[in-house]
Amino acid sequence: MLDVAVIEDPAAAEVSLDPVRARLLAELAEPGSATMLAAKVGLPRQKVNYHLRALERHGLVELVEERRKGNVTERVMRATAASFVISPVALSAVAPDPARAPDRLSARWLLAVAAQLVRDVGALISGADKARRKVATFTIDGEVRFASAADRAAFAEELAAAVAALVSRYHDESAEGGRAHRLVIAVHPSVPRDQAAGVATPVTATETDTETETGPGAEPPADPEES
């Protein structure tokens, strides 16, 4: 089972967003049969099988084993990943385009950049999985507490200058065999964990300031039921 899988197919995204099927995906972090799941989610086994077939058709669950119990063949299923992320590719017609209105202080532009990050890394992961290779990435995720908005603004300016100097030192446009890497740095107000899973408490306009810097662009790579 993968830690995270990226859903790029619109039909698979639609299937995963159904509340019952999303619940089944969560339950199938551990292998289970339709009979076991029916008891957990409070649905008839036949109804659970219907949903499992839909999830299996789109590669969201997989068969682990079949167990024969008298005249019944019990199919034990498991989710193909512990969690899923829906790529903007699944909504390509309305996917955000960061190039449309770049604005370092816009929270919505930050969201558009983040969506592009999900799209690009999802494509890289899909290509790497097919080639049985790993994707070279580096991530820093931390938190800084500012005493004032002025301190936050000063931090953003210093960060932008430091990143620009570092990029200038290492960027080599003419390097033979070199490969461009995308750089995204973002600063935004933290959201408490108990709110992140639901609806976050609204914050004031001054609290939503963001600072985002991007570097060189990335290069994306390349149902039977129990009887």
Side-chain angles (χ1 to χ4, degrees):
M1 176 188 288
L2 301 172
D3 289 334
V4 182
V6 180
I7 298 175
E8 297 178 323
D9 176 55
E14 181 179 3
V15 167
S16 71
L17 290 172
D18 177 271
V20 173
R21 293 166 183 172
R23 171 74 186 281
L24 293 176
L25 281 176
E27 295 291 347
L28 286 174
E30 298 293 333
S33 66
T35 300
M36 296 166 59
L37 291 168
K40 291 181 178 180
V41 302
L43 290 174
R45 180 178 61 82
Q46 292 81 359
K47 191 70 173 177
V48 171
N49 264 318
Y50 167 77
H51 290 302
L52 288 178
R53 287 199 301 273
L55 291 169
E56 188 177 14
R57 280 196 303 270
H58 293 91
L60 301 176
V61 302
E62 60 188 359
L63 179 66
V64 175
E65 63 174 314
E66 290 185 329
R67 300 169 181 167
R68 190 72 182 176
K69 293 185 177 181
N71 294 327
V72 176
T73 299
E74 185 178 60
R75 306 180 77 239
V76 179
M77 311 297 292
R78 180 181 62 186
T80 53
S83 56
F84 296 87
V85 174
I86 297 177
S87 169
V89 171
L91 293 169
S92 58
V94 291
D97 179 8
R100 186 175 299 137
D103 180 353
R104 293 195 313 175
L105 300 181
S106 167
R108 287 180 171 80
W109 190 61
L110 170 57
L111 192 61
V113 171
Q116 182 171 296
L117 181 67
V118 171
R119 184 201 67 192
D120 290 352
V121 175
L124 287 165
I125 289 174
S126 297
D129 286 345
K130 293 175 183 177
R132 298 182 179 275
R133 299 178 65 181
K134 292 184 177 181
V135 181
T137 63
F138 174 71
T139 306
I140 295 177
D141 180 20
E143 186 172 88
V144 55
R145 186 178 180 88
F146 299 111
S148 66
D151 283 353
R152 183 184 60 214
F155 174 85
E157 289 302 319
E158 289 187 39
L159 178 62
V163 171
L166 195 60
V167 170
S168 177
R169 185 188 311 167
Y170 287 96
H171 180 64
D172 189 344
E173 190 69 39
S174 60
E176 185 176 350
R179 181 170 188 181
H181 285 66
R182 184 171 180 77
L183 172 66
V184 176
I185 299 175
V187 178
H188 64 81
S190 297
V191 179
R193 290 182 179 275
D194 59 341
Q195 295 178 19
V199 179
T201 300
V203 293
T204 64
T206 57
E207 291 176 319
T208 58
D209 293 346
T210 59
E211 180 74 18
T212 303
E213 288 292 333
T214 60
E219 297 178 50
D223 163 327
E225 71 177 83
E226 295 173 4
S227 55

